[in-house]
Amino acid sequence: MNVNGQTRYQVPRNPVSLMSRVYKHILPEVRKELDGWRRKAGNIPDPELRKQALASIETKQFHCEGGGIYAAVPLPARLILTKLIVAYQTISDYLDNLCDRSTSMDAEDFRLLHQSMLDAIDPAAEPVNYYALRQEQNDGGYLHGLVTTCQSCIRQLPGYAAAMPFIRDLAGLYTDLQVYKHIKPELREPALLAWWELHRERTPQLQWNEFAAATGSTLGVFMLFLAASDRNLSSTAAASIHASYFPHVCCLHIMLDYLIDQEEDRLGGDLNFCNYYESPEVMLDRIAFIVESARKDVAAIPVPPFHRMIIEGLLAIYLSDPKVSEQQEVRSVSKRLMKGSPLTRLFFFFNSRWIRKHLYE
């Protein structure tokens, strides 16, 4: 697979061909992988770890299905990428549940847990006891299995050496965010602001909450996994992909997620990056800016139509969520973002509603 050339003929270039591959290949293959991890999660000896592992798969399956878009390529790359994306996203979702519903508020505990995500992207890393700083210990090898599955898949990506430094950068930022956003509530914002000060020169166009949101997405990592299936991937090409996804595409992904979860997070007392804007109007202006910046960024890498579909698909998937209609402010923001929508976004909007109605209800 040649990301710098032949890939343009291998990845879908229009919504119909993309969704055809999604229905025919991606959804069945992702669900097959998740079924395997669900069985393993059900055998976890520790009741709390078992509960959170099963809950993360049950409630966040769509994360893996969405990430599977980056595996919408021909065999054999598709099967390797599907297995890798599902395993990596499952680590992310499992740890998010563990930290959100944690019996601990210890930053070092959270950092050690997320070391698994850094080890998963390093085929030479030796897994350690990621639970060493918490009470719950025995997961029956579940987390180690996820890590080693990622490592095994990565060894089959011939261009991974070029992509790895950029994947490590994104995974490191993701780990930092997960540590700071899950510590004691009164410490979260000061820690996030201090962290932003260390990185603000990287994204001077973003506010601190937008930078933090950008670090919370796995889309850049998944795109680099896809790129690494090309044995001719160069460091220059990998750097271009990294720059095209981080920060704006990644930021849009997570800001939309927070946008529709505002009421839910307010009731649960959870941190939400959309709550730091002065008004809904300011929030809309900032998200619109991020959307336009994302569209410009992906024009710099091969097969722009594929990446534009990712952007329009994100808008459609999140803005078609039933939670939008339940929140007046979010509903008005959604209407303005959808106003004058391109046909691609409208296609994904109605397709997302169909999927929810027929596949999840």
Side-chain angles (χ1 to χ4, degrees):
M1 181 173 184
N2 188 335
V3 169
N4 302 303
Q6 294 177 13
T7 299
R8 70 190 63 214
Y9 305 113
Q10 296 184 337
V11 300
R13 296 173 61 87
N14 63 72
V16 174
S17 62
L18 175 61
M19 294 314 299
S20 174
R21 292 192 191 183
V22 166
Y23 287 125
K24 184 176 181 180
H25 300 295
I26 301 305
L27 292 181
E29 289 164 4
V30 166
R31 290 173 183 183
K32 180 181 177 181
E33 290 296 320
L34 280 175
D35 283 345
W37 292 116
R38 186 181 290 107
R39 287 192 294 273
K40 290 180 173 64
N43 291 323
I44 292 175
D46 185 279
E48 179 63 18
L49 298 180
R50 182 172 65 250
K51 174 185 174 182
Q52 299 305 337
L54 288 170
S56 71
I57 295 173
E58 180 67 26
T59 62
K60 299 177 180 180
Q61 174 175 310
F62 70 98
H63 289 173
C64 291
E65 292 172 343
I69 293 293
Y70 291 93
V73 294
L75 291 169
R78 190 184 74 241
L79 295 178
I80 297 168
L81 290 169
T82 301
K83 183 181 287 289
L84 172 57
I85 287 167
V86 169
Y88 195 74
Q89 185 62 50
T90 298
I91 298 175
S92 170
D93 292 338
Y94 171 51
L95 297 187
D96 193 47
N97 266 41
L98 275 186
C99 295
D100 269 343
R101 310 289 176 257
S102 187
T103 55
S104 146
M105 286 258 182
D106 179 14
E108 293 308 308
D109 171 37
F110 296 154
R111 191 166 292 281
L112 181 57
L113 284 173
H114 282 86
Q115 181 62 40
S116 63
M117 296 194 74
L118 299 174
D119 291 348
I121 60 165
D122 181 356
E126 287 291 332
V128 300
N129 178 13
Y130 303 113
Y131 304 105
L133 299 179
R134 62 174 34 229
Q135 181 179 349
E136 302 85 12
Q137 292 281 322
N138 189 1
D139 75 353
Y142 180 69
L143 187 51
H144 276 192
L146 286 164
V147 170
T148 56
T149 294
C150 290
Q151 292 174 327
S152 174
C153 292
I154 281 168
R155 293 188 189 101
Q156 299 175 67
L157 299 179
Y160 193 75
M164 185 174 173
F166 304 99
I167 292 174
R168 187 190 293 121
D169 175 64
L170 295 176
L173 291 172
Y174 180 93
T175 293
D176 288 343
L177 172 69
Q178 297 306 311
V179 171
Y180 300 136
K181 71 175 280 199
H182 286 113
I183 56 178
K184 293 179 180 179
E186 65 271 20
L187 301 178
R188 289 172 187 170
E189 188 174 330
L192 287 165
L193 287 169
W195 174 55
W196 179 59
E197 287 295 334
L198 298 176
H199 296 284
R200 65 187 302 171
E201 295 302 318
R202 293 183 62 170
T203 58
Q205 75 280 26
L206 296 185
Q207 300 178 13
W208 77 266
N209 57 318
E210 295 162 351
F211 167 78
T215 66
S217 173
T218 48
L219 295 188
V221 171
F222 295 159
M223 181 54 214
L224 284 161
F225 285 160
L226 169 58
S229 62
D230 171 17
R231 68 179 63 257
N232 297 313
L233 180 70
S234 66
S235 294
T236 301
S240 178
I241 291 167
H242 178 283
S244 294
Y245 266 72
F246 185 85
H248 297 120
V249 174
C250 292
C251 181
L252 175 63
H253 173 207
I254 301 303
M255 290 305 287
L256 290 172
D257 191 40
Y258 279 114
L259 175 68
I260 68 171
D261 283 346
Q262 285 183 90
E263 183 61 24
E264 184 179 304
D265 290 343
R266 190 177 294 116
L267 293 173
D270 296 328
L271 179 146
N272 187 301
F273 291 129
C274 283
N275 292 342
Y276 292 93
Y277 292 113
E278 300 170 11
S279 66
E281 290 73 25
V282 172
M283 178 175 64
L284 174 62
D285 288 344
R286 291 302 301 170
I287 294 176
F289 164 76
I290 292 164
V291 170
E292 290 309 313
S293 298
R295 288 179 179 140
K296 291 176 184 176
D297 289 347
V298 299
I301 52 179
V303 204
F306 174 73
H307 305 289
R308 286 198 296 271
M309 284 193 292
I310 297 294
I311 294 168
E312 304 308 329
L314 285 172
L315 288 161
I317 289 167
Y318 282 102
L319 298 182
S320 66
D321 192 286
K323 286 184 280 189
V324 170
S325 62
E326 299 167 2
Q327 303 171 75
Q328 184 175 349
E329 285 186 0
V330 178
R331 189 165 63 247
S332 62
V333 170
S334 173
K335 285 181 179 178
R336 290 176 64 185
L337 285 173
M338 288 295 292
K339 188 177 181 180
S341 292
L343 290 176
T344 298
R345 192 189 310 166
L346 290 173
F347 175 90
F348 286 126
F349 183 86
F350 291 109
N351 185 76
S352 298
R353 286 194 165 180
W354 187 92
I355 288 177
R356 284 192 178 93
K357 181 174 178 61
H358 295 278
L359 300 184
Y360 292 106
E361 291 183 358

